[in-house]
């Protein structure tokens, strides 16, 4: 009874790792479609990591809790609108869209406010005292666990009961792989938000301020850029995108609203940011999509329990040959 899983598997004569090329080939397109949907969520959260790193050279590990607070905000918006766990209700499409938009806006506001609070309460005092970077990192980890434990005390350890506004239905097929309305919505909406974020960083005055501070904060300050305002804006933008990702996440995984539900996804989003090139906005998008697809392929090839391991092995393999990630670090440069 107390034997480890690996011991049990070996005792039963089964290999500890599978290698099923046939299953990978059979599920290739369905894995690709599903991987793009998950990868777009990773990418949205990864933008928060990459923006903060680009401006402050800080890994904000509390960003995963910014994400999960957005998920709780969206969930409780659903309940406030009268939706309850159980079978999906038959309601008009326009009503579903309005309710999802409302939940998304509230999730983005809550996540943005939490990100702003973290910046003002946890990180700004450290900057004023010119604390070492290690202190920032420890503070980020501490803030992450503090928020996580507060949610645990508030809601308990069990996940919230699933609420689904939209029933999964096949929209079309690609080489026999079903593309559902949820997957299509998540992917297209995520791409749209990432395009807006890219335009904001590259084409607007505020975005140029972010890039200027990322490239040379001292010179940017001399040129009249308000560094503290830029840092505050950076946290807010990352938080807002994490809130949107939270809505898409509970559309894809309705039972995923859990006190520590952001931890693994946050680690994967950080992995996506590093994979694409930490500090590179488009790298976050590419890294998220590559990671989402790769972990799905690995799940079919090696077995479901290897899904998460494949993602991190991929990161190590790429960083061995390209330490700056696929696209490199470039938030402060023109090719963001």
């Amino acid at each position: 009874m107390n034997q480890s899983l690996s011991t049990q598997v070996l005792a039963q004569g089964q290999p500890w790792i599978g290698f099923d090329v046939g299953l990978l080939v059979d599920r290739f397109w369905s894995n690709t479609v599903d991987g793009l949907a998950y990868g777009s969520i990773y990418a949205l959260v990864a933008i928060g990591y990459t923006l903060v790193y680009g401006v402050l050279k800080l890994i904000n590990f509390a960003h995963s809790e910014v994400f999960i607070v957005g998920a709780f905000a969206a969930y409780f918006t659903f309940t406030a609108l009268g939706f309850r766990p159980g079978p999906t209700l038959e309601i008009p499409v326009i009503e579903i869209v309005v309710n999802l938009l409302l939940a998304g806006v509230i999730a983005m506001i809550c996540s943005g406010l939490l990100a702003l609070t973290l910046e003002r309460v946890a990180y700004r005092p450290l900057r004023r005292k010119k604390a070492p970077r290690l202190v920032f990192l420890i503070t980020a980890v501490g803030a992450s666990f503090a928020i996580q434990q507060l949610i645990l005390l508030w809601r308990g350890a069990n996940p919230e009961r699933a609420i689904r506004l939209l029933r999964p239905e096949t929209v079309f097929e690609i080489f026999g792989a079903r593309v559902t309305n949820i997957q299509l919505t998540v992917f297209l909406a995520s791409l749209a938000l990432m395009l807006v974020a890219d335009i904001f960083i590259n084409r607007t005055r505020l975005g140029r301020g972010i890039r200027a501070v990322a490239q040379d904060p001292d010179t940017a300050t001399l040129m009249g850029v308000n560094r503290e305002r830029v840092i505050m804006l950076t946290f807010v933008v990352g938080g807002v995108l994490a809130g949107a990702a939270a809505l898409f996440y509970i559309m894809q995984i309705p039972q995923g609203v859990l006190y520590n539900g952001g931890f693994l996804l946050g680690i994967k989003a950080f992995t996506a940011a590093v994979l694409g090139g930490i500090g590179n906005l488009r790298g976050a998008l590419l890294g998220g999509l590559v990671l989402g697809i790769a972990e799905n392929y690995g799940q079919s090839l090696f077995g479901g329990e290897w899904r998460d391991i494949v993602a991190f092995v991929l990161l190590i393999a790429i960083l061995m040959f390209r330490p700056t990630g696929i696209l490199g670090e470039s938030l402060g440069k023109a090719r963001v």
Side-chain angles (χ1 to χ4, degrees):
M1 291 295 290
N2 295 326
Q3 288 181 311
S4 66
L5 178 61
S6 58
T7 303
Q8 292 177 16
V9 169
L10 290 173
Q12 293 168 3
Q14 299 176 359
W16 64 280
I17 180 173
F19 194 78
D20 195 337
V21 178
L23 184 62
L24 174 62
V25 173
D26 290 342
R27 296 182 179 176
F28 180 83
W29 289 106
S30 60
N31 282 340
T32 302
V33 170
D34 206 31
L36 288 173
Y38 279 103
S40 59
I41 297 173
Y42 298 156
L44 277 180
V45 181
I47 289 175
Y49 285 105
T50 211
L51 283 175
V52 171
Y53 179 83
V55 171
L56 286 177
K57 297 296 181 285
L58 163 69
I59 305 300
N60 179 23
F61 282 115
H63 193 59
S64 56
E65 274 54 57
V66 171
F67 162 80
I68 203 61
V69 164
F72 274 97
Y75 182 87
F76 287 117
T77 301
F78 291 157
T79 61
L81 292 171
F83 294 97
R84 296 292 180 267
T88 306
L89 300 177
E90 295 290 344
I91 57 177
V93 174
I94 186 64
E95 187 176 342
I96 294 175
V97 172
V98 170
N99 289 327
L100 287 175
L101 285 175
L102 181 59
V105 168
I106 292 176
M108 288 188 285
I109 291 173
C110 291
S111 290
L113 287 174
L114 178 58
L116 177 61
T117 301
L118 282 169
E119 192 279 323
R120 297 295 295 272
V121 174
Y123 302 132
R124 181 172 293 190
L126 296 178
R127 286 201 309 277
R128 288 176 175 170
K129 294 178 181 178
K130 297 183 180 180
R133 289 184 184 177
L134 180 60
V135 175
F136 281 89
L137 183 63
I138 294 171
T139 301
V141 174
S144 173
F145 281 110
I147 296 170
Q148 197 176 111
Q149 292 304 307
L150 286 173
I151 298 174
L152 174 62
L153 292 173
W154 174 42
R155 299 302 302 173
N158 295 323
E160 304 295 330
R161 295 175 61 196
I163 296 178
R164 190 184 287 277
L165 270 66
L166 193 61
R167 180 182 290 110
E169 295 178 355
T170 302
V171 178
F172 57 89
E173 293 187 357
I174 300 178
F175 299 104
R178 297 170 58 246
V179 179
T180 69
N181 50 355
I182 294 178
Q183 291 171 327
L184 193 61
T185 300
V186 167
F187 181 67
L188 293 179
S190 297
L191 281 185
L193 284 172
M194 285 182 274
L195 178 61
V196 169
D198 188 76
I199 292 172
F200 173 76
I201 295 296
N202 283 299
R203 305 289 175 83
T204 68
R205 185 169 176 269
L206 292 173
R208 286 194 295 270
I210 291 175
R211 289 166 52 201
V213 172
Q215 188 169 19
D216 191 332
D218 294 330
T219 303
T221 301
L222 291 174
M223 296 297 292
V225 176
N226 188 324
R227 184 167 180 257
E228 289 301 321
R229 185 180 299 169
V230 165
I231 292 171
M232 183 174 64
L233 177 64
T234 301
F235 274 85
V236 170
V237 170
V240 165
L241 292 175
L247 173 66
F248 302 149
Y249 176 74
I250 63 175
M251 288 174 63
Q252 189 82 357
I253 310 175
Q255 68 277 13
V257 185
L258 177 66
Y259 81 99
N260 62 351
F263 179 76
L264 182 58
L265 189 137
I267 294 295
K268 287 186 178 182
F270 172 66
T271 300
V274 176
L275 190 64
I278 187 77
N280 189 315
L281 206 64
R282 293 172 186 171
L285 167 61
L286 179 61
L289 296 180
V290 168
L291 185 66
I293 292 171
E295 67 178 13
N296 268 24
Y297 290 166
Q299 178 177 257
S300 293
L301 186 61
F302 302 114
E305 63 274 14
W306 288 85
R307 177 189 176 107
D308 298 332
I309 298 174
V310 167
F312 300 121
V313 169
L314 174 66
L315 172 67
I316 295 170
I318 288 182
L319 292 184
M320 285 176 63
F321 298 99
R322 189 169 174 81
T324 56
I326 298 173
L327 298 185
E329 303 175 10
S330 67
L331 184 61
K333 300 177 184 178
R335 72 176 184 91
V336 175

